Amino acid sequence: MKEKEILEGIKTRLGIENLNEMQKEMMAMATESRDIILLSPTGSGKTLAFTLPLLKMMKPSTGRIQCVVIAPSRELVIQIAGVMREAGKIFRVVALYGGHSVEDEVNSLKVTPDIVVATPGRLLDHSVRHNLELLPVRLLVLDEFDKTLELGFEEEMSKLMKRLKNVSRIILTSATKSDVLPDFLKLDNPVTVDYSSNSSDVRERMNIRKVITDSNDKLDGLLTLLHNINYDKDALEKTMIFVNHRESAERVYEFLRKNKVAAVLYHGALEQKDRETAVALFNSGARPVLIATDLAARGLDIEKVKSVIHYHQPLTEESFVHRNGRTARVDEEGDVYLLVGPEEQLKEFVNPDGDFVLDSNKKADLSQKFMTLYISGGKREKLSRGDILGFLIKECNVAASDIGKINVFDHYSLVAVKEKSVPEILNMAEGKKLKGEKRKIRLLTK
């Protein structure tokens, strides 16, 4: 693709007017013949940074896979594939990851994609089963390679590299610099593009406060904190609450829902569909409070988080950095709160700017303003956001201003709508066809 075409595409479809310095430098690297090691902090626009040179290096569709992107988590795969589809509209992008329907993936590979974004295990499985041919691949991205090794994918990566014999350009991204890379990774005179020092700029845009609670249990203190930070606000601010264990996440979630907080739950024991739904509800603003384990600290495509709350102090400094990295992203400011029990000591790597004193007299409306509709049809049924928007406006008499974000997944869709519109939608949608078929449309209540 030509650079002008790429830039016009990301402006139109991703709303990005100007590239940051890292993205500009990576775009320029497309004319180099060397491999690239990109070191960058969380929230710096890394996905677009490696997508830009790839699109510039891609040839018109050849009927063979040109590019493979390997990432350590399904969430990161979904995020990358979404960005690459929008940025490189002329190319066919397929995402492969665990928890996804294998049958759907096999069907998606029947027409050979230009770009494959995958987790290591799922990519290797499809390759072994001859569902895709990796020999033609010229371009390879190893995203968050440090985490890939940390999660134990070294054996899968070694086997994959033996199958990716004709790769001529590798882009490796990492949050941290490594002095030694595995033997199977043979980089060709790599150039390092180092923006890791920019993490100090992020810290300057971040206000970290210690919040002392009356009880070691902290639940009441957490609720008071949510009231305080949303006091006198027109809308509930996006807030991520981090805990150290799944059981704690469930407990905090149940407590907040019981107290009518517009919250949603995210952890590794949930089914993939439930995790997708959680992120969609959070991003749409239907549930602006997300309770999560460290699984949500990296790789999720989450927008405009104003506050991060550490219900539990993180176990490691790395976890602290990645949790905090969910806010103050790309030149925005953010607030971080550490809930501390009366006898609890701060860990040595925690460096608050000061204290935040809770005020139990301040009350805010923490309830839902948007509700979420579930529609039994998605990409595989050829439904688009435009189809759904048109149906709601024309067939259900809903004002466009009452419709929020629309997420279309493989076999279902989620739509954020203002609460006042829900009864009329459910009533008027009954028996009507959406793109030629009757679809189940119901209110998502869990």
Side-chain angles (χ1 to χ4, degrees), residues 15 32 43 60-62 110 117 166 174 194 197 244 265 321 325 331 363 386 413:
E32 299 278 340
S61 293
T62 61
K110 285 179 179 177
V117 187
N166 294 316
S174 178
D194 190 353
S197 61
N244 289 343
L265 178 67
V321 170
D331 299 329
K363 300 293 181 182
S413 303

Side-chain angles (χ1 to χ4, degrees), residues 179-228:
D179 294 328
V180 181
L181 293 172
D183 292 338
F184 63 77
L185 196 63
K186 295 177 173 61
L187 299 183
D188 180 20
N189 189 26
V191 58
T192 299
V193 178
D194 190 353
Y195 281 81
S196 56
S197 61
N198 286 14
S199 57
S200 59
D201 298 335
V202 176
R203 179 63 181 90
E204 289 172 7
R205 303 196 307 272
M206 195 180 289
N207 190 14
I208 302 179
R209 296 297 180 91
K210 180 175 71 172
V211 184
I212 300 175
T213 61
D214 293 334
S215 159
N216 287 322
D217 186 38
K218 302 185 192 177
L219 285 174
D220 290 329
L222 173 63
L223 183 59
T224 301
L225 177 59
L226 288 172
H227 278 291
N228 284 190

Side-chain angles (χ1 to χ4, degrees), residues 51-152:
T51 295
L52 294 171
L54 285 177
L55 294 179
K56 206 171 173 183
M57 289 185 279
M58 294 274 288
K59 297 176 181 178
S61 293
T62 61
R64 295 181 173 187
I65 301 171
Q66 297 187 55
C67 173
V68 165
V69 181
I70 301 175
S73 69
R74 65 186 75 177
E75 289 79 14
L76 194 51
V77 165
I78 293 167
Q79 176 200 330
I80 295 167
V83 171
M84 297 189 89
R85 283 192 188 104
E86 294 301 316
K89 204 70 174 178
I90 65 172
F91 296 115
R92 188 163 187 272
V93 181
V94 166
L96 310 172
Y97 51 90
H100 197 207
S101 165
V102 175
E103 183 181 353
D104 282 348
E105 290 185 351
V106 171
N107 288 334
S108 71
L109 292 168
K110 285 179 179 177
V111 177
T112 305
D114 302 289
I115 301 170
V116 170
V117 187
T119 51
R122 186 54 69 95
L123 181 63
L124 182 61
D125 184 59
H126 280 295
S127 179
V128 169
R129 295 172 185 270
H130 304 291
N131 294 329
L132 51 73
E133 178 55 71
L134 295 178
L135 279 178
V137 176
R138 298 183 301 108
L139 308 170
L140 175 65
V141 177
L142 305 175
D143 192 31
E144 296 200 359
F145 190 65
D146 53 336
K147 188 177 181 185
T148 300
L149 297 182
E150 177 190 317
L151 292 173

